[in-house]
Amino acid sequence: MNQNNDEYGEIVTTDGKETELLAPKQLDRGIEILNPAEFPDLDDATVGISVETKYREFSQPGEIVRAVFNGIGKMSKRNQSGGMDELPAAYFQTKDGVYLNGGDNLVNQLQAIRPGTPIQIKYVGKVKTNSGHNVNKFEVNILRPSPF
């Protein structure tokens, strides 16, 4: 262990064995430790959705997805020269999972929507632009959930 570094400490296994790993002595701001009195009962909890983000491809005109909009983030796409281009992507969550889609038309419509807003995305189909390119067209509506 590097004895001169006061920011890190040794990591010891649950068996009490020392390791070569080091961990910060103070947790990052994004990490929170729960008060034991507030700890949820995990033994009886049911498994929910996966938080792994998946690309949501729309292929059938008229296809509808109801979701909660999570925000505009980024995704990467391989370019013709083999490098990677960073592109904006819309992130949304359904009862089944967390998804993203990088369609320009969809991303542009969601730019002004606040994350956490319930939405309906309807895939209209491919349309030809004035420049002759085919693009995926979407219709996005804000949902008004029924009161509980």
Side-chain angles (χ1 to χ4, degrees):
M1 182 175 136
N2 183 353
Q3 297 290 343
N4 296 330
N5 193 338
D6 292 333
E7 294 179 31
Y8 290 88
E10 289 182 18
I11 295 178
V12 179
T13 67
T14 54
D15 299 339
K17 296 178 185 173
E18 292 186 14
T19 68
E20 295 180 9
L21 302 172
L22 302 175
K25 288 183 179 178
Q26 290 193 343
L27 295 176
D28 290 335
R29 289 188 160 189
I31 299 173
E32 295 182 21
I33 304 296
L34 293 177
N35 177 338
E38 297 171 358
F39 204 81
D41 180 5
L42 301 179
D43 294 329
D44 293 331
T46 57
V47 176
I49 65 167
S50 170
V51 295
E52 177 185 10
T53 303
K54 297 176 186 146
Y55 193 83
R56 178 64 163 83
E57 190 70 54
F58 290 85
S59 58
Q60 298 296 320
E63 190 175 350
I64 292 175
V65 171
R66 288 181 167 216
V68 173
F69 176 58
N70 297 117
I72 302 295
K74 295 181 178 167
M75 64 180 228
S76 296
K77 180 179 180 182
R78 192 168 307 282
N79 59 32
Q80 292 177 344
S81 62
M84 300 299 280
D85 291 332
E86 197 170 81
L87 303 169
Y91 285 75
F92 50 94
Q93 180 177 338
T94 69
K95 292 179 182 179
D96 302 320
V98 181
Y99 300 94
L100 70 108
N101 185 286
D104 287 340
N105 179 263
L106 181 60
V107 170
N108 288 339
Q109 288 185 64
L110 291 170
Q111 291 284 348
I113 306 295
R114 188 175 61 212
T117 301
I119 58 171
Q120 176 176 288
I121 303 167
K122 179 179 179 181
Y123 177 58
V124 176
K126 291 197 180 291
V127 296
K128 195 169 276 208
T129 65
N130 292 338
S131 59
H133 294 82
N134 285 327
V135 296
N136 290 323
K137 178 139 176 71
F138 297 90
E139 182 180 298
V140 177
N141 295 96
I142 294 174
L143 296 176
R144 293 181 301 219
S146 301
F148 291 51

